[in-house]
Amino acid sequence: MESNADFTLDQMLQRASASLLTSLEAAVDVEEGLAELHRQATERQADADEPGQAPAR
């Protein structure tokens, strides 16, 4: 039989795990967003570098 302390520790570990997972998911979302912005900026720069193109404003 689990004691109250064991049950409380288990709950705390579950909550910490859930919180860590949420934080990791948020970090992945941010990283994906930054990667997309970088991709777009690189694409725009490549377009601007093409000869005969007017500068982007």
Side-chain angles (χ1 to χ4, degrees):
M1 174 140 183
E2 283 186 302
S3 71
N4 253 359
D6 290 337
F7 185 69
T8 301
L9 179 59
D10 187 52
Q11 281 183 322
M12 288 171 45
L13 289 172
Q14 286 178 5
R15 288 178 185 163
S17 295
S19 179
L20 178 58
L21 181 59
T22 299
S23 295
L24 289 171
E25 289 170 339
V28 168
D29 289 344
V30 168
E31 193 279 331
E32 288 174 348
L34 288 172
E36 176 61 18
L37 288 173
H38 183 264
R39 184 195 65 75
Q40 291 174 6
T42 302
E43 189 176 273
R44 288 187 185 128
Q45 185 63 50
D47 290 345
D49 289 344
E50 288 181 13
Q53 292 273 343
R57 291 186 182 194

